[in-house]
Each structure stands twice: as C-alpha cells, then as structure tokens.
C-alpha cells in the first residue's frame, strides 16, 4: 500500500514536466499495478511457477528490441514533428509550475489508489487488483471526463465479460484434441481482438473497453474455462473501482471549488 501510494504520487506529480511525461508516468503506474496483481496471483497459486527472472529477462529483451526499432524508425524518418495518434501520448513537453492544486490532485489520487490496493490485497479479494486498475483508468483530470469514462467503462466491461462467458461455454464439454483445438482457436480470437482494440478506441471508448475486456478474459480463463465466478468478481471489482475513482474526482472537484472561492474572496 505504501509503495503504491509513493509510485502513484510520483507519477501524478510528473505533470510538472509536461503532458507527454505525465502520460508516460501514468502508463508506468498502470504497469506497476498489473505486475503487482499478477505477482500476487502467482504467489497464491501453488501449481504455477512464475519463473521470475526468466520473465524479467524476457520483458527487458522485448523492451530493448522495441526501443531499437523505434530509434531506427526515427533515424529513417528524421526528427521532424509528427502528429500523435494516441491521445494518452501527447506531444506537449512544456513544463508547468508545481501549484498547490496539482499537489492536492496528486495526493488525493495517490490516497485513492493506495486505498484500493489495501482493500484488494489486505482483504485477499479474488482478482481484487481489477479494482485498482479500474479506479486508475477512471480518474481523469476533470470530473466531467471521469464521469464519462466511468460510465463507458462500466458498460464496456459488462459487454466484454458477457461475451467472454458465452465463448467460454464452448470448451466446457470438450476433452482431448477437441479441447486443445478450441483453446488455440480462443488464443487466435483474443489476439485478433487485441490488435483491433486500438482502432476501436478512436471510434468508441465503450466498444474499445468491451473488446479489450473480452480478449483479456479469454486469455486469462483459457486454462479453466468453467470458472465463471472469476468473471463475476472482475466485473464487481471493476464497478467498485470506477465508483471509487468517480467519488475521488468529485471530492477533488469540491476541494478545488472551495479553494477557488476562498482565493476569490481574499482582497487583492
């Protein structure tokens, strides 16, 4: 919980270095939560061997390869200004002052994320880290953005989980070679959904969330397709996380409004 608070606070304060670095810090913050959740799951599953250092080497090697590809593309195309196709990776690099409002936003956000981590891991909730992820994604710089994203994410998560449950009914009665074939087919379907997810993002966030949720649930539940309670827990914690994110931003908006009112009432 303390580490999650520190990482989230640091990532939120990265806004002073520009929008691009702030977006990068948020993505790293999200990756930290995902790694924490998966590590916790591996630790509590006796029949799963995580091969920690093999995973570290694999991810480090993949990251180094992708960085090399990006650098090669930059050398080929030159250093000219290019448009940003992904809104979460803006091109703005201008610095911003470290105001009290920014510090308050970062602190409230870090407290909310640390609270969800405490609930998820302290109470040993099944798939509880989905609550932290949902809260992090739902919390946007403004209350209006948070409300819109929260509602879209709830609808998308419900659609995606329902689609995954329907698909997971197929291998429930299969065995042997048929089960193996169906599982490999599900992996192909999930990869196709993931590849098209980004395209759906620019069209409709609700559909994007549904597609990504369906793909992730398929990949996670292929080894045990009949465990429908897992999908229920994930949807439940997603709803709770989105609610916590919306309430946090509502509190931040009220605090900012109160501060602005006090500043306006002071004599110049």
């Amino acid at each position: 919980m303390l580490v999650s608070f520190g990482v989230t606070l640091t990532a939120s304060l990265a806004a002073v270095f520009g929008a691009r670095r702030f977006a990068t810090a948020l993505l790293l913050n999200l990756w930290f939560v995902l790694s924490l959740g998966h590590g916790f799951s591996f630790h509590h599953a006796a029949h799963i061997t995580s091969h920690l250092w093999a995973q570290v080497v694999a991810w480090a090697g993949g990251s180094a390869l992708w960085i090399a590809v990006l650098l090669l593309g930059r050398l080929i195309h030159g250093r000219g200004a290019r448009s940003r196709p992904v809104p979460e990776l803006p091109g703005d690099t201008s610095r911003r002052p470290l105001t009290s409002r920014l510090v308050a936003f970062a602190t409230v956000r870090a407290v909310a994320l640390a609270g969800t981590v405490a609930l998820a891991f302290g109470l040993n909730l099944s798939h509880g880290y989905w609550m932290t992820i949902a809260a992090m994604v739902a919390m946007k710089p403004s209350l209006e953005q948070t409300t819109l994203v929260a509602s879209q994410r709830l609808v998308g998560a419900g659609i995606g989980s329902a689609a995954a449950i329907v698909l997971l009914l197929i291998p429930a009665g299969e065995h042997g070679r048929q089960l193996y074939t169906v599982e490999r087919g599900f992996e192909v379907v999930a990869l196709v959904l993931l590849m098209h997810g980004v395209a759906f993002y620019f069209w409709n966030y609700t559909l994007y969330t549904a597609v990504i949720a369906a793909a992730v649930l398929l990949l996670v539940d292929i080894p045990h397709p009949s465990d429908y309670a897992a999908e229920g827990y994930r949807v439940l914690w997603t709803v709770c996380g989105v609610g916590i994110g919306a309430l946090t931003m509502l509190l931040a908006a009220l605090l900012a409004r109160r501060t602005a009112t006090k500043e306006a009432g002071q004599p110049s």
Side-chain angles (χ1 to χ4, degrees):
M1 182 186 69
L2 294 176
V3 173
S4 300
F5 175 84
V7 170
T8 305
L9 181 64
T10 303
S12 301
L13 291 176
V16 300
F17 299 106
R20 181 191 299 179
R21 293 177 178 85
F22 176 63
T24 304
L26 292 184
L27 290 175
L28 292 174
N29 194 182
L30 179 61
W31 186 246
F32 168 77
V33 175
L34 287 171
S35 303
L36 188 67
H38 280 288
F40 185 81
S41 301
F42 287 148
H43 180 69
H44 284 74
H47 63 283
I48 295 179
T49 303
S50 62
H51 299 292
L52 176 62
W53 290 110
Q55 291 190 50
V56 171
V57 173
W59 282 108
S63 301
L65 178 62
W66 182 242
I67 292 173
V69 170
L70 291 177
L71 290 177
L72 180 61
R74 186 177 180 86
L75 291 176
I76 294 174
H77 294 287
R79 297 188 176 184
R82 294 186 298 272
S83 60
R84 298 286 167 180
V86 182
E88 276 70 15
L89 296 175
D92 183 15
T93 58
S94 59
R95 293 174 177 264
R96 289 169 172 76
L98 185 62
T99 61
S100 58
R101 188 170 300 180
L102 176 60
V103 174
F105 169 75
T107 304
V108 170
R109 191 173 183 274
V111 170
L113 265 296
T116 59
V117 169
L119 291 174
F121 301 113
L123 299 179
N124 197 21
L125 301 178
S126 177
H127 305 92
Y129 64 93
W130 280 61
M131 177 167 50
T132 303
I133 296 173
M136 181 184 301
V137 174
M139 283 190 289
K140 298 296 182 181
S142 68
L143 181 60
E144 292 78 8
Q145 289 180 339
T146 298
T147 304
L148 178 61
V149 171
S151 59
Q152 290 177 328
R153 188 164 187 82
L154 285 178
V155 175
I159 296 174
S161 60
I165 290 175
V166 171
L167 290 175
L168 290 171
L169 289 174
I170 298 176
E174 301 293 341
H175 302 281
R177 182 176 298 177
Q178 290 79 8
L179 178 61
Y180 179 83
T181 304
V182 172
E183 289 178 349
R184 302 294 79 76
F186 276 176
E187 291 177 353
V188 174
V189 171
L191 290 176
V192 171
L193 291 176
L194 290 173
M195 286 188 296
H196 289 80
V198 176
F200 285 121
Y201 180 89
F202 298 103
W203 180 35
N204 187 284
Y205 186 77
T206 301
L207 186 57
Y208 159 79
T209 304
V211 170
I212 297 299
V216 171
L217 291 176
L218 281 178
L219 290 175
V220 170
D221 290 330
I222 283 177
H224 37 80
S226 60
D227 187 10
Y228 304 118
E231 279 77 11
Y233 280 123
R234 294 188 184 102
V235 173
L236 174 61
W237 304 138
T238 297
V239 172
C240 293
V242 167
I244 291 174
L247 290 176
T248 301
M249 291 310 302
L250 176 61
L251 175 62
L254 292 176
L255 291 175
R257 189 179 306 171
R258 184 176 180 181
T259 302
T261 303
K262 287 184 176 180
E263 292 177 352
Q266 293 179 353
S268 58

